[in-house]
Amino acid sequence: MIAEVKSIDLIDHENWAYWPDDVEDFCVAAEAMIGPLGEDGAEIFSFEVCTPKWFSKNRLGLAAFARNIVFVSEYDEQAVKNLVYEIARKADGNSWNEVANKLSRYLRWEFEDYQAPDPSSV
């Protein structure tokens, strides 16, 4: 099974019509809708698009993890989309759960860490 990107959008902005005040100093939230190739369904994979300059000023202390962040040197919609498509193309597995777990190494999957309720405890 392989993944298919259905859409990639910015959150809390005018989608890709957004333009930062400083193309080398910004951070925006984004999400990709990704599902199994050829199927209608998709799940949300979230991430942030930031420049190193913004990250250094706003999040970097003595130490910092940078999971689920796409770093770009300047605002470039196509570069971000190309990266997400490339990650999705490389994610394959025997089940959707396996594929989604591979994608979640890079993007925050909406079902990451989800555990179905134990029917015996209900």
Side-chain angles (χ1 to χ4, degrees):
M1 175 173 285
I2 58 174
E4 177 181 20
V5 178
K6 314 292 181 168
S7 65
I8 304 170
D9 299 304
L10 295 183
I11 308 302
D12 300 329
H13 291 285
E14 308 84 26
N15 204 359
W16 293 104
Y18 164 79
W19 196 260
D21 293 334
D22 183 343
V23 296
E24 296 177 347
D25 185 6
F26 72 92
C27 186
V28 292
E31 67 182 19
M33 298 298 293
I34 304 174
L37 179 65
E39 295 184 21
D40 289 335
E43 295 175 0
I44 301 168
F45 291 84
S46 305
F47 57 100
E48 292 177 306
V49 179
C50 299
T51 60
K53 183 176 181 180
W54 184 94
F55 190 83
S56 178
K57 289 186 342 188
N58 294 278
R59 296 228 183 122
L60 194 59
L62 294 176
F65 285 105
R67 188 165 182 240
N68 306 314
I69 296 178
V70 173
F71 286 106
V72 294
S73 57
E74 63 183 26
Y75 188 75
D76 186 338
E77 172 187 350
Q78 199 56 53
V80 171
K81 288 181 175 181
N82 289 345
L83 181 62
V84 173
Y85 280 106
E86 180 182 337
I87 290 167
R89 266 194 308 274
K90 292 179 179 178
D92 61 359
N94 294 320
S95 68
W96 171 248
N97 195 56
E98 191 176 318
V99 172
N101 274 302
K102 287 181 179 179
L103 291 169
S104 73
R105 295 173 186 165
Y106 304 95
L107 310 166
R108 188 177 318 112
W109 180 30
E110 68 176 307
F111 294 111
E112 187 172 325
D113 297 327
Y114 173 78
Q115 295 186 11
D118 181 357
S120 64
S121 65
V122 179

